[in-house]
Amino acid sequence: MDSRNMDKALELYAKLTMGEEVTRSHPENGSLYEAYYQNAEVYEIFNQILKKLNLSIYEYKEALYLSAGEGNRVFGYTNEELKRLMGLRYNRELYLGYYIMYQLLLCFYQDSASYQIREYVRLEEIVKEVGGSLAAITADLGIYNMDEIEENSFKSIALLWEELPLVTGEEREQLRASRASQLGITKLICNFLISQGLFLEVKERYYPTDRMRALTEQYFEEYRGRIYELLERGEEHAEY
């Protein structure tokens, strides 16, 4: 093994884990992108490192992106960490947050064979999609009580959503991210996605970044059924 190739692979790993851009056109890191694709030993060493650390690598528009693998306790987030980052208090709010993320992705990607067909989505549209998708469940909620159902079930999510007003009186003048309304909690989730470099907000329009596209078109399509397992089983750890 050439020590120079090992150094290249380690440098590439370091750059990506530190959040630096690694693209073909990058003035400083472009050589690392080229080494990954043109040097077989660098490619092999780097992917062995990722395999050992339970990480995945994705490429989109001549740029490389890292993502934590399923159950990764070092690079992923626990449910408690996610609640803190999102400004949520209860597990059922977090499971609702997962569901909102899922519906947001479906606003852009309807099936595994399609590519993004929309440029952006508005907050109200996300709320509408969430409400519409839960409509069949909420139709029978009259017979349920929150204390009688599992907090990580679809019924719990639907009941929590149904109990939230569309907006609070305070939000009618200036919408705020909060747990107090459907629009507010949806904005909390969108703010988290923005903080992770997955979306941009411009004049109340949400645009997916290239990182989001890379994860969605590759990672999300590979694990798209995972959201249902999280909602049904309420696992302790989750990755984004």
Side-chain angles (χ1 to χ4, degrees), residues 120-137:
Y120 64 87
V121 66
R122 294 183 181 276
L123 195 67
E124 291 79 3
E125 295 177 83
I126 305 170
V127 171
K128 181 179 179 180
E129 291 296 326
V130 173
S133 66
L134 292 174
I137 302 174

Side-chain angles (χ1 to χ4, degrees), residues 20-57:
E20 292 192 27
E21 289 185 5
V22 177
T23 67
R24 184 188 295 275
S25 60
H26 195 281
E28 297 178 3
N29 298 334
S31 61
L32 294 175
Y33 178 94
E34 296 292 347
Y36 177 73
Y37 279 106
Q38 297 181 9
N39 187 314
E41 191 170 40
V42 171
Y43 181 91
E44 180 65 22
I45 294 171
F46 181 73
N47 279 282
Q48 283 297 319
I49 294 172
L50 298 191
K51 183 177 180 180
K52 293 292 185 180
L53 296 174
N54 190 15
L55 294 168
S56 298
I57 183 73

Side-chain angles (χ1 to χ4, degrees), residues 79 91-103 133-134 137 150-158 224-235 237-238:
N79 281 354
N91 284 340
R92 63 178 181 267
E93 293 174 337
L94 179 61
Y95 302 138
L96 175 59
Y98 290 150
Y99 193 79
I100 292 170
M101 290 183 195
Y102 184 71
Q103 290 300 321
S133 66
L134 292 174
I137 302 174
E150 296 294 329
E151 68 173 357
N152 60 335
S153 68
F154 279 105
K155 291 184 178 67
S156 176
I157 291 171
R224 66 179 302 147
R226 187 59 175 155
I227 181 67
Y228 293 104
E229 294 182 29
L230 288 170
L231 292 172
E232 291 297 332
R233 295 167 56 188
E235 294 196 0
H237 298 279

Side-chain angles (χ1 to χ4, degrees), residues 24-218:
R24 184 188 295 275
S25 60
H26 195 281
E28 297 178 3
N29 298 334
S31 61
L32 294 175
Y33 178 94
E34 296 292 347
Y36 177 73
Y37 279 106
Q38 297 181 9
N39 187 314
E41 191 170 40
V42 171
Y43 181 91
E44 180 65 22
I45 294 171
F46 181 73
N47 279 282
Q48 283 297 319
I49 294 172
L50 298 191
K51 183 177 180 180
K52 293 292 185 180
L53 296 174
N54 190 15
L55 294 168
S56 298
I57 183 73
Y58 300 116
E59 193 269 347
Y60 184 83
K61 290 186 176 180
E62 299 186 333
L64 298 176
Y65 302 93
L66 278 186
S67 176
E70 182 178 350
N72 192 315
R73 299 190 179 189
V74 176
F75 294 95
Y77 291 123
T78 65
N79 281 354
E80 291 303 314
E81 289 170 335
L82 282 173
K83 283 190 290 186
R84 176 176 54 81
L85 290 170
M86 293 181 191
L88 304 174
R89 293 180 60 187
Y90 304 110
N91 284 340
R92 63 178 181 267
E93 293 174 337
L94 179 61
Y95 302 138
L96 175 59
Y98 290 150
Y99 193 79
I100 292 170
M101 290 183 195
Y102 184 71
Q103 290 300 321
L104 172 56
L105 292 175
L106 291 183
C107 288
F108 297 96
Y109 301 90
Q110 291 298 318
D111 56 62
S112 59
S114 68
Y115 291 95
Q116 181 186 344
I117 58 175
R118 299 185 61 178
E119 183 181 4
Y120 64 87
V121 66
R122 294 183 181 276
L123 195 67
E124 291 79 3
E125 295 177 83
I126 305 170
V127 171
K128 181 179 179 180
E129 291 296 326
V130 173
S133 66
L134 292 174
I137 302 174
T138 56
D140 298 324
L141 284 180
I143 64 175
Y144 293 105
N145 181 285
M146 181 65 80
D147 295 331
E148 299 173 349
I149 58 180
E150 296 294 329
E151 68 173 357
N152 60 335
S153 68
F154 279 105
K155 291 184 178 67
S156 176
I157 291 171
L159 186 58
L160 175 59
W161 182 259
E162 186 73 5
E163 290 177 348
L164 292 173
L166 178 61
V167 293
T168 64
E170 188 178 84
E171 287 175 338
R172 290 186 181 277
E173 296 182 2
Q174 184 177 3
L175 180 62
R176 299 174 58 187
S178 74
R179 301 162 44 247
S181 70
Q182 293 176 0
L183 278 169
I185 198 168
T186 303
K187 188 171 179 61
L188 274 180
I189 302 306
C190 290
N191 286 352
F192 169 74
L193 296 175
I194 292 170
S195 74
Q196 299 298 305
L198 300 174
F199 277 84
L200 295 173
E201 181 182 8
V202 180
K203 296 182 178 179
E204 299 184 348
R205 298 175 178 177
Y206 294 93
Y207 296 81
T209 63
D210 284 348
R211 173 176 166 78
M212 183 72 250
R213 294 186 180 100
L215 296 181
T216 303
E217 293 183 11
Q218 298 177 65

